[in-house]
Amino acid sequence: PFGRRCINAVAQEGFQDTNSYDSGRPGYSAGTLEQVSARLRRLADARGRPASAVEVGAGTGKFTRPFLDCYPALAPAYTAVEPIRAMREVLQAKCGGEVRVLEGAADQLPLPDGVADAVIAAQAFHWFANLESLIGMHRVLRPGGSLCLVWNTFDLRQEWLAQLEALRNTYYPEDVPRFVTGAWRRVFERPEAQRLFVGPEEWLGVHVQLCSREQVVDRIISSSAIAKLPQAQREGVAKQVLDVLNASPDTAGKTQLEVPYSSHVYVFTKQE
């Protein structure tokens, strides 16, 4: 996990190719951004001052950039934390002029106690779903602050996406952390975690990514377990993705594709 300064080897190796990652990964729906920003606005109103937020595992800024566009007043009090240097460099280029970008891990956040109204983890928490990380995020939150966990997942009602998901799954060992397994929830079942946070409040929405065929390829080959493969194997996976796209009546012959996702938001509240 990112916590304990021991970054999962699959993440460390797989997230070096920031070009494919940034190209293929979807953004976030307006509904998702509003769910998180509305929480921060309520906290700001209740406290009578501007809100502040810390994003953990911020990656290349796939959430950071659109969230700041949605809530620009938050930028001066927004800190984006990312442990992998290659990703942090892209994040810095996108957002560094507006927000503070720091190296760090969830259990060793380089921040004082009680500085944030919200901690956000977008497409990331499954990598550091451990008690040490919860303690670290709890530490930097103010009393009553929010822990906002966000993910996108393929809408598998689309047959071609179900085929791509099945292809991707063949490369994932069981011990690689993934949101879809639900294993990230287990840490919140521990008595120690329940003394830190209550919740979650849950929200489910939809998001459609408009993208090229090449971006769909990038989405699959940027998946952590595939991205760390040798180049020849990655090229083989890319060919298989194109084979699926060429065979499906929903995607064959199309240069622009609509990729539907389910958007998930979970909000936990810090215990007083």
Side-chain angles (χ1 to χ4, degrees):
F2 284 155
R4 306 173 204 154
R5 294 288 183 186
C6 284
I7 301 173
N8 184 286
V10 175
Q12 178 68 68
E13 295 177 47
F15 292 149
Q16 296 299 322
D17 180 6
T18 56
N19 290 332
S20 294
Y21 184 99
D22 209 46
S23 166
R25 297 298 176 112
Y28 293 87
S29 69
T32 298
L33 300 173
E34 178 58 28
Q35 286 293 313
V36 180
S37 63
R39 174 63 57 132
L40 277 159
R41 289 188 173 98
R42 287 197 296 271
L43 288 167
D45 290 345
R47 292 169 176 172
R49 53 165 174 70
S52 61
V54 175
E55 184 182 350
V56 182
T60 63
K62 294 295 291 189
F63 179 89
T64 320
R65 180 67 272 161
F67 188 63
L68 293 175
D69 292 340
C70 172
Y71 194 177
L74 185 62
Y78 197 95
T79 301
V81 181
E82 169 55 43
I84 297 177
R85 180 177 178 180
M87 288 197 153
R88 199 167 58 251
E89 289 174 349
V90 178
L91 173 64
Q92 180 74 39
K94 281 187 186 178
C95 308
E98 299 168 65
V99 306
R100 182 165 54 160
V101 175
L102 299 177
E103 178 183 9
D107 69 330
Q108 297 180 12
L109 292 167
L111 296 165
D113 296 355
V115 296
D117 294 298
V119 171
I120 302 164
Q123 212 75 20
F125 179 73
H126 52 282
W127 288 110
F128 46 90
N130 56 65
L131 186 60
E132 294 85 355
S133 293
L134 287 186
I135 291 170
M137 293 185 288
H138 180 274
R139 178 184 64 78
V140 302
L141 279 170
R142 297 188 175 107
S146 296
L147 173 62
C148 305
L149 309 180
V150 180
W151 284 276
N152 288 314
T153 58
F154 281 149
D155 181 347
L156 298 181
R157 293 173 296 181
Q158 304 291 320
E159 176 61 27
W160 65 278
L161 282 176
Q163 291 178 35
L164 292 183
E165 183 72 357
L167 169 63
R168 186 165 61 167
N169 287 346
T170 62
Y171 291 91
Y172 272 91
E174 290 185 3
D175 61 347
V176 174
R178 303 181 72 191
F179 165 72
V180 294
T181 69
W184 63 272
R185 292 178 178 269
R186 294 175 192 155
V187 67
F188 290 102
E189 297 170 0
R190 296 181 59 174
E192 303 96 323
Q194 292 173 2
R195 290 193 288 269
L196 300 175
F197 293 99
V198 295
E201 301 172 42
E202 301 185 24
W203 179 85
L204 179 64
V206 296
H207 176 50
V208 177
Q209 179 191 24
L210 300 176
C211 61
S212 67
R213 298 165 76 82
E214 291 75 18
Q215 286 177 294
V216 174
V217 171
D218 284 341
R219 175 63 191 93
I220 299 302
I221 66 172
S222 71
S223 300
S224 56
I226 297 173
K228 73 181 189 67
L229 296 173
Q231 182 64 26
Q233 285 184 261
R234 292 181 67 203
E235 290 174 357
V237 175
K239 181 181 183 304
Q240 289 178 277
V241 173
L242 290 174
D243 288 345
V244 170
L245 298 181
N246 291 334
S248 170
D250 295 323
T251 54
K254 295 181 179 179
T255 57
Q256 284 291 112
L257 303 176
E258 295 185 356
V259 183
Y261 286 86
S262 297
S263 301
H264 310 259
V265 179
Y266 302 84
V267 180
F268 296 80
T269 301
K270 177 177 177 173
Q271 295 271 40
E272 299 294 337

